Amino acid sequence: MAASVSVYDFLSEESSVRWKVLLQPALRKIQKQVHPRLEIDDEAVAYLEELIYRLLAQMCAAQPHTMADIEAYVQQNFAAPIDTWALSDAKLMMERLEKHAKRKGVFVFNVEKIFQQLQKEVFGYRIELNLIQYIMAILDYVSADILKLAGNFVKNTRRPAVYIAPPDIKVSMAADPALQALFQPLQQNQSLVKEIMSHSLNEEPLTERRSLSYDELLRELMDGEAEYIRHLSLILKVFKEPFLKRPDLFVDIDVQQIFSNLQELHELSVQLLGSLDECIEMAAELGGKGRCPHAGFVFEELAESEEFAVYSTYTGNYMDAIMILEDLLTDPDVVQYFKSLEPKLFKEAMQYILPKSLLEPIYHCFYYFEVMNALMQSSPSDEDQEALESALTCMLALKVEMERECARFLPKRKEDSGIFGRRSGYRVSHMKVSQLQQKIEGWEGPDLISSCTKFIMEGSLGMIREGRARSTKTDRHVFLTDGVAICCKLKRGAVAEYRFKERINMRKAKLIDMEESDDLKFAFQLVEPNQPGIIFYTISKLDKNEWMAALTQLLTMSTFDRMLDSKLREEEATIPVLRPSPEQYRFAEEDSDDNVMYDDPEDGRGPANGPGALIKAGTIYKLVERLTYHEHTNPTFIRIYLMTYRSFSKPSELLNLLIDRFHIPNPCEVESNESRRDPLMMKALKRFKANYVSPIQLRVFNVLRHWVEFHYYDFQREPELLVKLKQFVDSVKTKNMQKWVASIHRALQKKEDEAQPSAAKPVFNQQPQPVEWHLTKNVEEYHILSLHPREFARQLTLILSEYFRAIHPSELVDASWMKEERKEKASPNLLRLNRFETTVANWLAMEIVFMENFEERVALVTRLVEIMEALRDLNSFAGMFIINAAFESASVHRLKHTFKEVAKRDGKKQQVLDEIKLVASSDRGFKNYKERLRAINPPCVPFLGMYMSWIVFIKEGNENKIPGKPDHFINFKKRRKIASVLQEIQTYQSTPYCLTPEPSIQEYIRSQDPIGHMTSNQWEEYIFDQSRSIEPRDQPKKVAPRRFKWDLRSPDLKQGWLNTVVRRKSHHPGVTQVFDGQQDDGTLSVDSTSLRAHKDSTSSIGSGPSSPTSVMSPQTNGLESPDKRMLERDRAFSTPPLLPPRPRRLTPNNSLADMPPGSSVPAIPERDPPDLPPRSNTSSSSSITTSTFPRQGGYRKNPPPAPPLSPPPHTNDYAPFTVPPPRPGPPLPPRPVNDMGPPLPPRTVPALRPRSRPEHPPPPPLPPKGTR
């Protein structure tokens, strides 16, 4: 290798622009490989990238020319055992690269880009690509090693173990001698280490363990199970392998007896962990609904099939296994063989670590009972609790048998060890480390907490210094940590309990197991480099075994862990990867430019085809493959696909594809009998079923469950689809799929129950407000002016919310409402909302223009503005847009005198109207509306027209096909954009309104049918002619008789409701009306003080009680004084019904919801009359009306003349009351003949001539005078 040159600085200010963040996506993927359940924060990734760049710079500075140069550098500069395992792992990766045809997916690093930049900036000579591949393979191993240690440190010290931070990497590297030597000088910040350890100690109280939630218990169980599986793998692949290599020394029956049925225990734990993973995956997408993983079903299934019985067999064989092992270790040949193996303490590991390791499965089985009890107590699901109880009952006999068998040999496990005690044990050990230094007098050296992370054990030992006579024995109390062993002298009666004597650096010490002699028994020796050794001895063999096991494990476990990782990688490389051929299985085709295209991941933290990959386009088979991918699940992709798939396939096609995806054939390699007898091929087939078949089948069921849960309307529209789904689910007889079959059946049953009329209604945390009334509760007298504006807004909001929440994504995804031939079937709920909005807007416009009396018209417009205010407070944007559309219609917009008078009487109402018009403006893509929408919290009824325009824009602006690709390529990026709009809509659909429904008011609103069967032109001419008749162009306001006999002022909208009994001001001055929210007896009380105070006050029609007052003209109400007006109001409450006969209402058999396709009804005409200047594009009626609407029934005739009015009986709503007598004054004027006003104008179709005005029938006769 050439002489070293200057080291290139990858992270300098100049170089960092090109190199920084280049390795981070690969490092994140490596982290997910070694610790799938942990996350890593950005700072930790950046710190690890810095370490790798430092190592890469040193290797490049050595100027290697061949792979042998790289190997020589690694052997010379990497500490053992990293040098051996790094090279071994890199060679395996290079061999796999040669076998892989397309050379993709072997390296996680972007080797091609790194090679180009190294060639250009670092090396001054030409290098080969395979050289950089070899270097990056070595760095891959080092990165994985660092992340594995850091993840283990996090799992052992923090709860919940969620993410890896930079301090975790630093501390875990400082505790590993090999990594510490590799990155020397590794800058150790002692204050940082202290802070880390203090933080881990203070995360939760150590004196009393807090109770864990169900999710935390499940995470603890899964982390412990993964660690346990690794423990079993270590026994089977590291400790068992030397026995199999020397059949001349070890008899098969002895080996089988020692390791018993550990392989069965390993398979059971793998199955258990896999099933728990599946539970979490199945429940993950329903987390927002309060779903939790049902781990009880997993334990119940395993317990009922007696899978845990393998622990009974293992427990019965344990003592025989220990006796055989002890007997083998007395054979000198066996001892010599073990001593010749690496690492150097392999014989000690067999003698002291293996017996304790073989005991761990027995403890672990008892912890299953503890975890099931803990899960049962914390589970929020009754079904899960029953399953856990059933599993415990099935395993009770096993527990009793194992307790009886273990009573003679099993020592009691400490509380701070085992699966659930593991982390608390680490915390206890940290606390002991932090407190230990305070107990020792005369401590020398750095603080213990800065160099030690774990307290292992303590005890009294005899000590002899090497080179001295063995008679010079002394006693020591020894504290063993993962960094140092501290030898102290016990002090009595002093503040400090111990006096410091010696310290041994355990990261550099050697352990020697000493043979017994007559003068020294149960002894071992610790030797530091260049230091005399120290001999320790115990009083019994059992004590020596405990110390030797702890010391051997401390000095060898990092090496054994690396050996296990290497063997697992070798095994994975040797076992062939089986896959069906594309001819057998059309979903097995490899990714290529001909079948799939990827975008960069959303977070930029992974490869294009990784877990975060975004599919830009692909064939239908590739999309379904990614929908049910075997390597990972992508809930976001599942949601997007199921929302948008109807734009490129039918529901029946999707179900067929999922069924085909579920049925996976065996690969061709295992079809022959010779292959079935090959052990290696059988392992490959087993891995194929575990890693390929089972995940795919699970994810097929996951997609089906998601389909049923969130898109059940597909099965409601196509009953044969539901039949086929049930047939497929019932045909799955695989044992491990039965719990998922049951989950589909439960989901289907739930949807069928929800479809019943008795389905549960939403439950709110608070009681909804009671219904507010204004002038009447009599259904026949309902009118916009007689109903409370706030209650009118609430009931309109409930109707809109009901229609809005019933809209399915499939109705919007492909702009189906624009397709005449299929819109009725494809978008029924969307059209229902659209038609209702248009009908209400037309109705409101009609009410305004047919209110011929100017004061009443002003009052009606004012009342509608108040309703808009209430809708704004309810976040009912759809309702606001409806009223604004009525105001912006041509027939209403031209009423200048009316709107001018509204602004004149109450400037606040005009401000509200201007504000809402600004929000409803479509300028700059509804900019103001979008800002307002983002500023509120649900519940909400948004204006759907904006989203519909977005979807149309996306649909028209993006092609279904990809240029240059075959026709069967599906542009999925387009669907992802549409899904983002649908997801925003679903955000508002998920939250209902906490309001009290009033069916009579809702029916009153729903029953309005202003257009009838007029055509669009007829309706436009009809309503515009009426508008011109009430306010002719360029003429003063027209005088017309009143229709209603009541005070037109609005109720007090500022008065709040208190509990269930509410007191609000009546529309009569000085009168207070009491409501209980349920029933109003009409009792009115008069405050004489208020009457006297009101004598000299005046009010304007259409203004609230707090509005500025003005003198009312005699022509308005025929009153000249406050007293006369009071008497007239008194008379109004005893007169016949206030409203004229209402038009025919739609019956339940003739409702909007049940209208079949038929003739069309136009929208509000969008035109500027000749007497108005051109308006800005703020009209909303065109957005509300996007199509023509069918109508039910025949042509509506003119209503017959109303019968003479007769005095109705007194009701609770209009009970008479008395008022103080008025002061003497002039007599009241005679009651006008037309005081009651004409009835509502008939909805008749005018003659087909331009601008013809319909003739109104004569007003009904008045009742006899004196009738009350």
Side-chain angles (χ1 to χ4, degrees):
M1 189 177 295
S4 298
V5 296
S6 60
V7 179
Y8 182 81
D9 188 358
F10 286 92
L11 299 177
S12 65
E13 184 176 352
E14 180 182 356
S15 304
S16 62
V17 178
R18 296 179 299 275
W19 290 98
K20 197 173 184 180
V21 192
L22 179 60
L23 305 183
Q24 291 188 17
L27 294 175
R28 290 182 183 277
K29 185 174 182 181
I30 294 172
Q31 182 269 321
K32 280 298 181 184
Q33 291 173 350
V34 295
H35 289 293
R37 296 184 183 87
L38 292 181
E39 301 293 336
I40 185 168
D41 66 13
D42 295 338
E43 294 182 2
V45 176
Y47 177 72
L48 181 58
E49 184 184 46
E50 179 184 348
L51 292 177
I52 299 303
Y53 274 136
R54 284 171 53 186
L55 195 56
L56 177 61
Q58 294 291 338
M59 297 179 71
C60 292
Q63 293 189 336
H65 290 76
T66 63
M67 295 176 65
D69 294 339
I70 298 174
E71 293 177 3
Y73 177 86
V74 170
Q75 293 170 353
Q76 181 179 354
N77 295 277
F78 283 33
I82 293 181
D83 55 350
T84 305
W85 304 122
L87 290 175
S88 175
D89 191 71
K91 290 176 181 178
L92 285 174
M93 193 173 292
M94 296 300 291
E95 292 175 2
R96 194 168 26 159
L97 182 67
E98 293 177 0
K99 296 177 182 178
H100 205 282
K102 295 190 177 183
R103 300 193 173 191
K104 291 182 179 180
V106 178
F107 291 98
V108 294
F109 292 109
N110 190 346
V111 177
E112 287 77 10
K113 188 171 182 179
I114 294 172
F115 167 71
Q116 294 173 2
Q117 294 191 189
L118 286 176
Q119 179 74 58
K120 182 178 178 180
E121 301 180 25
V122 181
F123 291 102
Y125 55 91
R126 181 178 178 82
I127 57 174
E128 298 295 333
L129 176 61
N130 65 344
L131 210 62
I132 303 303
Q133 291 172 341
Y134 198 42
I135 292 176
M136 297 312 297
I138 294 171
L139 297 180
D140 186 315
Y141 173 84
V142 175
S143 303
D145 197 59
I146 295 173
L147 288 168
K148 183 173 64 98
L149 291 175
N152 291 339
F153 176 77
V154 170
K155 290 180 178 179
N156 295 332
T157 58
R158 282 208 297 273
R159 181 187 291 122
V162 177
Y163 66 92
I164 299 172
D168 304 320
I169 297 177
K170 297 175 183 179
V171 173
S172 58
M173 290 177 64
D176 188 81
L179 289 177
Q180 191 175 17
L182 177 61
F183 289 96
Q184 281 290 1
L186 185 64
Q187 299 297 327
Q188 275 272 59
N189 188 332
Q190 295 185 5
S191 62
L192 175 64
V193 179
K194 290 181 183 178
E195 181 181 352
I196 299 165
M197 302 310 299
S198 300
H199 176 70
S200 65
L201 292 175
N202 297 328
E203 280 186 343
E204 63 177 270
L206 295 172
T207 55
E208 182 178 355
R209 183 188 178 98
R210 67 182 178 91
S211 80
L212 299 177
S213 68
Y214 185 86
D215 291 339
E216 289 172 331
L217 284 169
L218 196 56
R219 177 182 285 272
E220 288 279 323
L221 170 64
M222 296 182 69
D223 288 341
E225 199 67 18
E227 184 178 337
Y228 174 61
I229 291 173
R230 185 173 178 82
H231 176 83
L232 296 178
S233 299
L234 182 68
I235 298 175
L236 293 171
K237 300 186 182 301
V238 176
F239 287 102
K240 184 178 180 180
E241 188 174 302
F243 289 88
L244 301 177
K245 288 183 176 180
R246 291 294 301 270
D248 55 321
L249 289 176
F250 308 104
V251 184
D252 288 344
I253 191 172
D254 289 343
V255 177
Q256 293 176 5
Q257 190 70 29
I258 292 173
F259 297 98
S260 188
N261 59 340
L262 276 174
Q263 186 63 44
E264 294 180 357
L265 304 185
H266 182 273
E267 293 174 358
L268 174 60
S269 291
V270 170
Q271 180 182 353
L272 173 61
L273 184 60
S275 299
L276 293 174
D277 272 327
E278 292 171 359
C279 273
I280 293 178
E281 181 178 324
M282 293 287 282
E285 296 169 15
L286 297 176
K289 286 190 172 184
R291 298 290 182 88
C292 71
H294 287 178
F297 295 155
V298 177
F299 282 104
E300 183 182 33
E301 180 182 1
L302 294 175
E304 288 179 350
S305 58
E306 299 184 351
E307 297 289 345
F308 291 102
V310 292
Y311 281 96
S312 176
T313 303
Y314 182 84
T315 305
N317 294 337
Y318 174 75
M319 287 304 298
D320 293 338
I322 297 302
M323 293 174 61
I324 293 173
L325 181 62
E326 291 178 349
D327 184 59
L328 288 174
L329 289 172
T330 59
D331 187 342
D333 294 335
V334 172
V335 172
Q336 188 61 34
Y337 169 63
F338 286 148
K339 285 184 177 181
S340 65
L341 300 176
E342 290 290 339
K344 296 180 180 179
L345 294 176
F346 200 93
K347 174 259 177 184
E348 286 75 11
M350 285 290 187
Q351 185 174 354
Y352 300 109
I353 295 179
L354 184 57
K356 292 193 68 176
S357 298
L358 293 176
L359 194 61
E360 183 63 29
I362 301 176
Y363 286 118
H364 191 76
C365 185
F366 285 114
Y367 279 110
Y368 283 141
F369 297 102
E370 294 184 20
V371 69
M372 283 190 283
N373 275 305
L375 289 171
M376 185 172 62
Q377 294 173 6
S378 61
S379 176
S381 168
D382 294 339
E383 294 178 350
D384 191 43
Q385 292 178 8
E386 293 175 1
L388 288 165
E389 185 177 3
S390 173
L392 285 169
T393 303
C394 292
M395 296 175 63
L396 183 60
L398 171 65
K399 182 180 179 182
V400 172
E401 181 182 354
M402 289 185 62
E403 286 177 343
R404 183 174 61 251
E405 184 70 26
C406 296
R408 55 191 179 91
F409 68 84
L410 186 67
K412 185 177 180 180
R413 171 64 65 90
K414 295 181 180 180
E415 294 182 358
D416 61 349
S417 60
I419 300 302
F420 283 97
R422 173 172 50 85
R423 297 189 186 184
S424 61
Y426 272 100
R427 288 172 173 77
V428 171
S429 70
H430 293 160
M431 176 174 283
K432 288 183 178 180
V433 169
S434 63
Q435 297 174 351
L436 179 59
Q437 191 171 329
Q438 302 174 2
K439 300 180 180 180
I440 300 175
E441 180 184 288
W443 170 257
E444 298 177 2
D447 292 340
L448 279 176
I449 200 172
S450 66
S451 58
C452 306
T453 60
K454 180 183 176 184
F455 182 88
I456 298 176
M457 66 180 298
E458 65 174 302
S460 297
L461 297 174
M463 189 189 80
I464 304 173
R465 291 188 177 275
E466 188 179 16
R468 298 185 181 180
R470 295 194 173 182
S471 58
T472 58
K473 299 179 180 179
T474 183
D475 293 334
R476 290 285 186 269
H477 193 87
V478 181
F479 299 94
L480 180 62
T481 71
D482 60 341
V484 295
I486 307 165
C487 304
C488 302
K489 192 73 175 178
L490 183 63
K491 293 181 62 178
R492 301 185 183 277
V495 176
E497 301 179 17
Y498 307 97
R499 181 181 293 114
F500 176 76
K501 288 298 183 181
E502 297 88 12
R503 181 177 66 179
I504 303 173
N505 187 345
M506 294 306 301
R507 295 193 175 107
K508 298 181 179 180
K510 293 173 58 179
L511 175 65
I512 301 175
D513 186 11
M514 301 186 67
E515 297 182 0
E516 296 185 7
S517 61
D518 294 338
D519 59 342
L520 188 62
K521 294 184 177 181
F522 318 128
F524 57 90
Q525 185 178 15
L526 290 174
V527 182
E528 288 187 89
N530 304 321
Q531 297 289 335
I534 300 178
I535 300 173
F536 296 96
Y537 60 91
T538 64
I539 60 175
S540 67
K541 182 178 181 181
L542 183 61
D543 288 344
K544 178 185 177 181
N545 291 345
E546 289 291 329
W547 278 97
M548 285 296 295
L551 290 167
T552 305
Q553 186 170 4
L554 175 62
L555 297 175
T556 60
M557 281 315 294
S558 63
T559 303
F560 282 137
D561 281 340
R562 290 185 173 98
M563 289 176 65
L564 176 60
D565 291 335
S566 177
K567 291 183 180 298
L568 291 175
R569 285 191 294 269
E570 289 178 4
E571 180 178 315
E572 184 179 356
T574 55
I575 298 177
V577 178
L578 299 181
R579 293 290 184 272
S581 64
E583 292 76 15
Q584 290 179 290
Y585 191 56
R586 51 188 172 180
F587 302 99
E589 186 178 357
E590 290 191 8
D591 291 354
S592 68
D593 295 338
D594 296 331
N595 54 33
V596 68
M597 295 173 61
Y598 292 99
D599 274 343
D600 293 332
E602 291 178 342
D603 54 5
R605 297 177 176 180
N609 59 348
L614 299 177
I615 294 183
K616 182 177 180 180
T619 64
I620 186 68
Y621 301 113
K622 274 298 170 183
L623 294 180
V624 174
E625 178 194 342
R626 281 289 164 170
L627 189 67
T628 56
Y629 201 48
H630 65 282
E631 290 187 2
H632 51 76
T633 183
N634 191 337
T636 302
F637 183 76
I638 295 174
R639 287 194 293 270
I640 293 174
Y641 190 95
L642 291 178
M643 273 195 290
T644 62
Y645 81 90
R646 298 158 197 84
S647 62
F648 54 83
S649 65
K650 298 179 180 178
S652 57
E653 294 174 356
L654 175 59
L655 182 58
N656 291 332
L657 287 169
L658 289 174
I659 294 174
D660 293 344
R661 177 69 165 157
F662 182 87
H663 296 295
I664 307 172
N666 284 332
C668 300
E669 293 87 342
V670 297
E671 293 299 329
S672 62
N673 294 330
E674 294 77 6
S675 300
R676 294 181 180 275
R677 289 193 292 268
D678 184 0
L680 194 61
M681 190 59 66
M682 288 298 98
K683 287 184 178 181
L685 180 61
K686 186 177 180 180
R687 190 169 71 173
F688 165 73
K689 291 181 177 180
N691 298 343
Y692 189 80
V693 176
S694 293
I696 289 175
Q697 293 181 341
L698 163 69
R699 280 156 192 153
V700 167
F701 268 79
N702 191 19
V703 172
L704 291 174
R705 183 197 50 78
H706 189 109
W707 194 0
V708 171
E709 287 279 353
F710 298 103
H711 306 277
Y712 187 68
Y713 49 86
D714 283 342
F715 302 96
Q716 291 175 319
R717 294 175 184 172
E718 300 182 25
E720 64 277 5
L721 190 71
L722 181 60
V723 172
K724 188 169 185 177
L725 172 64
K726 291 182 177 180
Q727 289 175 350
F728 164 67
V729 172
D730 292 337
S731 68
V732 177
K733 304 298 182 182
T734 311
K735 182 179 178 181
N736 63 342
M737 294 300 297
Q738 291 310 302
K739 53 181 175 292
W740 312 129
V741 170
S743 72
I744 298 293
H745 282 302
R746 286 195 298 270
L748 289 170
Q749 186 61 46
K750 179 183 176 183
K751 289 299 178 181
E752 292 173 359
D753 293 341
E754 289 177 354
Q756 301 300 323
S758 60
K761 296 181 179 180
V763 179
F764 302 101
N765 296 328
Q766 59 182 1
Q767 289 295 327
Q769 293 179 337
V771 176
E772 297 184 69
W773 299 98
H774 178 38
L775 294 179
T776 182
K777 287 185 179 179
N778 188 347
V779 175
E780 296 300 324
E781 297 173 346
Y782 280 176
H783 188 267
I784 300 172
L785 290 174
S786 67
L787 294 171
H788 198 289
R790 187 155 49 211
E791 196 57 46
F792 188 94
R794 290 172 180 168
Q795 301 307 318
L796 177 60
T797 297
L798 287 174
I799 298 172
L800 291 170
S801 178
E802 174 191 343
Y803 291 168
F804 169 67
R805 297 182 68 210
I807 297 173
H808 304 307
S810 62
E811 302 184 38
L812 292 158
V813 65
D814 201 28
S816 302
W817 70 90
M818 299 177 64
K819 302 174 181 178
E820 288 292 335
E821 69 280 1
R822 54 187 294 261
K823 65 181 182 181
E824 296 296 337
K825 182 178 180 180
S827 305
N829 297 300
L830 177 63
L831 292 179
R832 181 175 65 162
L833 174 62
N834 202 312
R835 290 164 179 167
F836 174 76
E837 290 176 335
T838 305
T839 300
V840 173
N842 287 335
W843 167 53
L844 297 179
M846 184 203 70
E847 289 288 347
I848 294 173
V849 299
F850 278 99
M851 195 70 71
E852 297 186 355
N853 182 271
F854 182 72
E855 297 295 340
E856 290 178 329
R857 190 163 63 251
V858 171
L860 179 59
V861 172
T862 303
R863 188 65 54 82
L864 289 175
V865 174
E866 292 170 351
I867 293 173
M868 292 177 80
E869 284 189 271
L871 291 168
R872 179 189 62 187
D873 296 338
L874 290 168
N875 298 329
S876 182
F877 294 102
M880 291 166 51
F881 275 75
I882 289 173
I883 301 179
N884 184 71
F887 286 163
E888 291 296 313
S889 64
S891 57
V892 177
H893 185 81
R894 63 176 301 279
L895 302 178
K896 296 181 179 179
H897 295 300
T898 303
F899 286 100
K900 185 177 180 180
E901 187 67 20
V902 171
K904 177 181 177 181
R905 295 184 180 183
D906 192 345
K908 293 182 179 179
K909 295 291 186 293
Q910 186 62 40
Q911 292 177 4
V912 171
L913 187 58
D914 292 341
E915 175 191 344
I916 293 176
K917 284 184 177 181
L918 189 63
V919 172
S921 172
S922 60
D923 292 345
R924 292 183 291 177
F926 296 94
K927 177 178 181 295
N928 299 323
Y929 168 62
K930 287 188 290 186
E931 291 177 354
R932 182 64 181 267
L933 188 62
R934 294 191 182 102
I936 59 96
N937 293 321
C940 166
V941 184
F943 170 57
L944 210 57
M946 180 186 71
Y947 298 111
M948 295 164 69
S949 63
W950 287 357
I951 292 172
V952 172
F953 178 79
I954 295 172
K955 183 177 184 297
E956 300 296 334
N958 297 269
E959 296 291 338
N960 285 329
K961 308 299 181 182
I962 300 296
K965 295 295 181 180
D967 291 341
H968 60 271
F969 247 60
I970 298 169
N971 185 355
F972 198 76
K973 188 174 184 179
K974 172 182 177 179
R975 275 74 184 185
R976 194 163 61 243
K977 291 179 179 179
I978 294 177
S980 65
V981 179
L982 300 180
Q983 286 172 350
E984 184 173 345
I985 294 174
Q986 287 183 325
T987 302
Y988 301 114
Q989 286 181 318
S990 60
T991 307
Y993 276 91
C994 181
L995 297 173
T996 302
E998 175 51 49
S1000 63
I1001 300 178
Q1002 291 189 19
E1003 177 61 21
Y1004 167 69
I1005 298 173
R1006 284 189 172 105
S1007 65
Q1008 302 303 324
D1009 185 18
I1011 300 179
H1013 283 277
M1014 287 185 284
T1015 65
S1016 176
N1017 291 333
Q1018 290 172 342
W1019 167 255
E1020 181 181 348
E1021 299 290 340
Y1022 176 58
I1023 194 171
F1024 192 80
D1025 285 345
Q1026 176 64 17
S1027 176
R1028 289 202 305 176
S1029 70
I1030 61 174
E1031 286 195 18
R1033 181 178 179 182
D1034 297 332
Q1035 294 184 20
K1037 59 185 180 182
K1038 188 176 179 181
V1039 178
R1042 287 184 53 175
R1043 284 174 55 188
F1044 306 114
K1045 185 59 182 179
W1046 60 56
D1047 190 348
L1048 300 177
R1049 291 185 303 172
S1050 301
D1052 186 1
L1053 298 178
K1054 295 183 180 179
Q1055 184 71 22
W1057 289 80
L1058 301 175
N1059 299 327
T1060 58
V1061 178
V1062 184
R1063 183 175 294 271
R1064 67 169 172 83
K1065 287 186 178 181
S1066 172
H1067 53 282
H1068 298 281
V1071 178
T1072 302
Q1073 195 167 358
V1074 179
F1075 295 96
D1076 61 357
Q1078 301 295 330
Q1079 184 176 1
D1080 177 24
D1081 59 3
T1083 303
L1084 299 173
S1085 61
V1086 181
D1087 186 354
S1088 59
T1089 305
S1090 301
L1091 285 174
R1092 289 192 298 270
H1094 189 73
K1095 283 181 180 180
D1096 300 326
S1097 65
T1098 56
S1099 302
S1100 61
I1101 296 178
S1103 62
S1106 59
S1107 303
T1109 59
S1110 63
V1111 178
M1112 199 175 295
S1113 63
Q1115 290 82 359
T1116 304
N1117 56 10
L1119 298 180
E1120 298 178 355
S1121 68
D1123 295 301
K1124 293 179 181 179
R1125 285 195 292 272
M1126 288 296 299
L1127 291 176
E1128 190 65 24
R1129 293 189 185 98
D1130 183 20
R1131 182 183 301 169
F1133 265 77
S1134 60
T1135 55
L1138 304 178
L1139 293 175
R1142 299 175 57 211
R1144 180 178 63 86
R1145 294 167 54 182
L1146 295 178
T1147 64
N1149 296 326
N1150 186 22
S1151 61
L1152 294 175
D1154 300 325
M1155 291 186 297
S1159 59
S1160 61
V1161 176
I1164 301 174
E1166 186 62 27
R1167 53 177 263 185
D1168 290 315
D1171 57 339
L1172 292 178
R1175 299 184 316 215
S1176 61
N1177 186 22
T1178 58
S1179 174
S1180 300
S1181 59
S1182 61
S1183 298
I1184 291 178
T1185 304
T1186 58
S1187 62
T1188 58
F1189 310 132
R1191 278 291 177 264
Q1192 176 79 15
Y1195 193 89
R1196 187 168 55 181
K1197 306 292 185 181
N1198 290 336
L1205 298 175
S1206 59
H1210 289 304
T1211 62
N1212 289 338
D1213 299 87
Y1214 296 98
F1217 64 94
T1218 60
V1219 295
R1223 294 180 299 175
L1228 291 173
R1231 184 174 182 178
V1233 176
N1234 59 351
D1235 196 23
M1236 290 300 295
L1240 285 173
R1243 282 31 166 201
T1244 58
V1245 179
L1248 296 178
R1249 61 178 184 270
R1251 306 286 185 186
S1252 62
R1253 181 179 178 181
E1255 297 181 0
H1256 297 281
L1262 293 174
K1265 292 186 178 181
T1267 303
R1268 297 184 61 83

